[in-house]
Amino acid sequence: MTTCIPAGSGKLHYRETNYKGHLGCRKASLVSSLTFKRFLQKELSWSCGISKLLHFQRCNFSQSPINENWRIIRTVTSSCLRDGSTKYFDFAVIGSGVAGLRYALEVAKQGSVAVITKAEPHESNTNYAQGGVSAVLSPSDSVESHMQDTIVAGAHLCDEETVRVVCTEGPDRIRELIAMGASFDHGEDGNLHLAKEGGHSNHRIVHAADMTGREIERALLEAVYKDPNIFVFEHHFAIDLLTYQDGSDTVCLGVDTLNTETLEVTRFISKVTLLASGGAGHIYPSTTNPPVATGDGMAMAHRAEAVISNMEFVQFHPTALADEGLPVKRTKIRENAFLITEAVRGDGGILYNLAMERFMLLYDERAELAPRDVVARSIDDQLKKRNEKYVLLDISHKPREKILSHFPNIAAECLQYGLDITHQPIPVVPAAHYMCGGVRAGLQGETNVKGLYVAGEVACTGLHGANRLASNSLLEALVFARRAVQPSIEHMKSSSLDFSASNWWPRPVVPMSLGSSTVNKILTLTREVRKELQAIMLKYVGIVRSTIRLKTAERKIGELEAKWEEYLFEHGWEPTMVGLEACEMRNLFCCAKLVVSSALARQESRGLHYTTDFPHLEESKRLPTMIFPSSPVKSTWSSRQVHKQAHVLGSSLDPANT
């Protein structure tokens, strides 16, 4: 039996459906635009049940961010590109972080690959990952220990099979990176230097000083640039996945994109699509995520009828640089908060309030090495009780040489603003950092949409549960990028590429016809609305929540979205029109609503989701939150695809049916 939870006003209503290896109530009735189902773990484990639950079935290269003099321009052959506005590939990869690039390098051995990236190829969450990647590489460590740390940090909501797979396969993924040329720090004994971070019981963090993500990205990009089967499309914003109905199955055949430099719409038709587009940190005003992290992949997947899970678990990194506490004030507002890695606390950093009182021991016996959710809530509590803007993270008691060798990037950034971290504490404040929820995936990155795979932060694999353990994100991305390869290749080989497919969906259009004056008005309002949405999320859907605040957020977001859409359409905007900021805005609305609705459905406090109305963890509610496709009736622009979805019955496609 399966427990179904429609989320409307936050009240739980139960109904039961029979479950016999197939999705029982795939499209439940619409309640507040989202329908939730939670699955009893004793009957359906995350990973072993997923294949049953989810019915499976200008190519100019940017300069390497490391080697500025190296540039490769590849001539694209007609076997990959058919015309200027439509491109045909065996594999389309949306996102150029560690997950997308690692996957691309493997599937390129079997076919042509388009890597579609929103900005520069290196502009991804990977590039901003400071601390490192966790893996069992020490004889004194064990897979069981890594698993236990992961499950404890995840408040026992993690899927055990997924955790075992990731912790077991992780070391080999690290060795592959090293073989590809990634350079990590070594100790005096010549072995890899393994750091320790909050929540870990052993030293297992492989790192390259405090710029690990950048080093991994560099190595992967170098390999990608050398591969003749991989074609990178910079500044291509993914608008919507191209899907059609084949009987009861939803099938993905690629993606529509907007070239943000030429303002042309390019359609990618592909046999297999990997979604590796990162997170949604910019639903909040302060986030460590780069500007590209606007939840595009999660929103696209939701609109394409993929199952979404655990969106209530938004991880706030406890220590982002607090600009207000710097000796020299910034002259312009940051697009994203500067991260102070977990490794600073792992290396002995101590947290103080502004009265220089060490406070973490008041909240948890693990003090500064407690998991991130505990540390973030503790800081939040201190700030509210003391009416202060930031706390202090002090590492200055450590030897100067050690600080500068372990954290050169942080030291250099702080020094720009008159702060010497070898002598002074660092002002820090929590900031939105990582989405533990996302597109629900099986053990091979598969989704309930045929031909669509996911890896990285956009995916919800069951590894993180209710809270991600430090440095498990890059690990998960590497493991699932590799696990998605074989099923992707099998799907590719069993599929054929129909060159008429490009005509099955109407094309999105750029709103040139509206005139520059109208477009500028829409842009101005959109930027204001974006700030309003972020303010709502911070005030009502932050680190500490309550039912009344979540309901207030739900109402305010609905009103704000309605106001914005009404303004657009009154000024001539049409549902098929696309623009970068407008499409980002619709994705932010979509993700914000997914987070709020998920949070309302979870009536307990677990991991990153803490609510004052249900302050305790309840074993009976140790279940993943599931968001299933909603009815298109009365849906907003953010919840339906730009193009009209092709609904086709049978095994063959007929353009007349679109």
Side-chain angles (χ1 to χ4, degrees), residues 65 96-97 117-128 217 221 289-293 335-336:
S96 60
T117 186
K118 188 172 175 179
E120 304 292 326
H122 60 271
E123 185 66 5
S124 66
N125 279 354
T126 296
N127 205 44
Y128 289 79
E217 186 83 355
L221 277 173
N289 294 181
V292 294
E335 288 186 306
N336 54 294

Side-chain angles (χ1 to χ4, degrees), residues 180 198 291 392 472 520 606:
M180 292 171 60
L392 298 169
N472 266 3
N520 286 336
R606 185 181 293 273

Side-chain angles (χ1 to χ4, degrees), residues 546-613:
S546 69
T547 301
I548 190 168
R549 295 173 77 80
L550 290 170
K551 288 182 178 179
T552 301
E554 187 175 52
R555 175 179 57 80
K556 286 180 174 290
I557 291 169
E559 292 170 352
L560 183 63
E561 183 181 28
K563 180 187 83 170
W564 177 66
E565 289 192 7
E566 183 180 4
Y567 185 90
L568 260 63
F569 296 126
E570 280 182 351
H571 285 75
W573 194 274
E574 297 177 4
T576 54
M577 287 183 173
V578 293
L580 174 63
E581 293 188 45
C583 285
E584 282 187 334
M585 190 68 247
R586 69 195 285 260
N587 292 338
L588 290 168
F589 269 125
C590 184
C591 289
K593 291 188 295 183
L594 293 175
V595 170
V596 172
S597 297
S598 298
L600 278 168
R602 183 168 294 281
Q603 297 191 344
E604 65 162 349
S605 288
R606 185 181 293 273
L608 299 165
H609 174 70
Y610 183 84
T611 169
T612 55
D613 292 298

Side-chain angles (χ1 to χ4, degrees), residues 47 65 78 80 101 129 212 229 263 278 388 393-394 459 501 503 509 512-513 516 544 550 579:
S47 47
S78 59
C80 295
L101 297 183
T212 309
N229 271 356
L263 298 184
E388 293 172 349
L393 176 60
D394 190 20
N503 301 318
V509 294
M512 298 293 190
S513 60
S516 59
V544 176
L550 290 170

Side-chain angles (χ1 to χ4, degrees), residues 509-523:
V509 294
V510 178
M512 298 293 190
S513 60
L514 298 185
S516 59
S517 176
T518 299
V519 170
N520 286 336
K521 287 179 182 177
I522 289 173
L523 280 176

Side-chain angles (χ1 to χ4, degrees), residues 487-505:
S488 295
I489 291 171
E490 291 172 2
H491 185 88
M492 182 273 292
K493 289 182 176 179
S494 66
S495 303
S496 59
L497 208 56
D498 189 332
F499 288 122
S500 70
S502 181
N503 301 318
W504 293 342
W505 302 270

Side-chain angles (χ1 to χ4, degrees), residues 107-156:
V107 295
K109 298 171 184 176
Q110 300 291 330
S112 59
V113 185
V115 174
I116 301 160
T117 186
K118 188 172 175 179
E120 304 292 326
H122 60 271
E123 185 66 5
S124 66
N125 279 354
T126 296
N127 205 44
Y128 289 79
Q130 294 179 355
V133 51
S134 60
V136 177
L137 293 165
S138 167
S140 62
D141 199 2
S142 68
V143 168
E144 286 70 25
S145 174
H146 192 182
M147 286 181 61
Q148 182 65 15
D149 292 344
T150 298
I151 291 169
V152 168
H156 297 273

Side-chain angles (χ1 to χ4, degrees), residues 349-580:
I350 298 173
L351 285 164
Y352 298 97
N353 57 33
L354 296 190
M356 292 308 292
E357 299 167 337
R358 186 180 184 184
F359 59 83
M360 274 309 304
L361 284 167
L362 300 174
Y363 298 94
D364 194 287
E365 61 183 11
R366 293 165 291 185
E368 284 79 10
L369 291 180
R372 289 178 179 179
D373 61 322
V374 175
V375 181
R377 276 197 301 276
S378 303
I379 293 174
D380 182 71
D381 187 58
Q382 283 286 305
L383 297 180
K384 288 174 178 174
K385 282 181 177 177
R386 298 176 57 83
N387 194 29
E388 293 172 349
K389 299 292 186 182
Y390 56 89
V391 297
L392 298 169
L393 176 60
D394 190 20
I395 192 71
S396 64
H397 52 280
K398 293 290 182 177
R400 174 182 173 84
E401 297 74 19
K402 185 176 181 180
I403 295 171
L404 295 179
S405 65
H406 285 189
F407 311 112
N409 189 40
I410 294 172
E413 178 73 14
C414 291
L415 203 57
Q416 288 186 55
Y417 305 103
L419 185 72
D420 181 355
I421 68 170
T422 66
H423 290 97
Q424 299 164 279
I426 307 167
V428 294
V429 67
H433 182 60
Y434 188 88
M435 305 294 293
C436 289
V439 185
R440 186 169 169 108
L443 275 175
Q444 294 180 307
E446 70 272 40
T447 71
N448 62 303
V449 177
K450 279 192 171 182
L452 178 67
Y453 297 81
V454 289
E457 189 175 350
V458 71
C460 186
T461 66
L463 174 68
H464 306 309
N467 178 33
R468 175 175 69 83
L469 181 64
S471 290
N472 266 3
S473 56
L474 292 177
L475 179 73
E476 180 196 38
L478 288 166
V479 169
F480 275 88
R482 287 288 281 111
R483 290 186 71 83
V485 169
Q486 193 54 40
S488 295
I489 291 171
E490 291 172 2
H491 185 88
M492 182 273 292
K493 289 182 176 179
S494 66
S495 303
S496 59
L497 208 56
D498 189 332
F499 288 122
S500 70
S502 181
N503 301 318
W504 293 342
W505 302 270
R507 288 182 180 269
V509 294
V510 178
M512 298 293 190
S513 60
L514 298 185
S516 59
S517 176
T518 299
V519 170
N520 286 336
K521 287 179 182 177
I522 289 173
L523 280 176
T524 299
L525 179 71
T526 298
R527 289 164 187 165
E528 293 173 358
V529 166
R530 180 166 170 158
K531 290 179 181 177
E532 286 184 56
L533 175 66
Q534 292 170 332
I536 291 169
M537 291 298 290
L538 179 64
K539 185 173 182 179
Y540 300 105
V541 200
I543 295 171
V544 176
R545 302 164 177 174
S546 69
T547 301
I548 190 168
R549 295 173 77 80
L550 290 170
K551 288 182 178 179
T552 301
E554 187 175 52
R555 175 179 57 80
K556 286 180 174 290
I557 291 169
E559 292 170 352
L560 183 63
E561 183 181 28
K563 180 187 83 170
W564 177 66
E565 289 192 7
E566 183 180 4
Y567 185 90
L568 260 63
F569 296 126
E570 280 182 351
H571 285 75
W573 194 274
E574 297 177 4
T576 54
M577 287 183 173
V578 293
L580 174 63

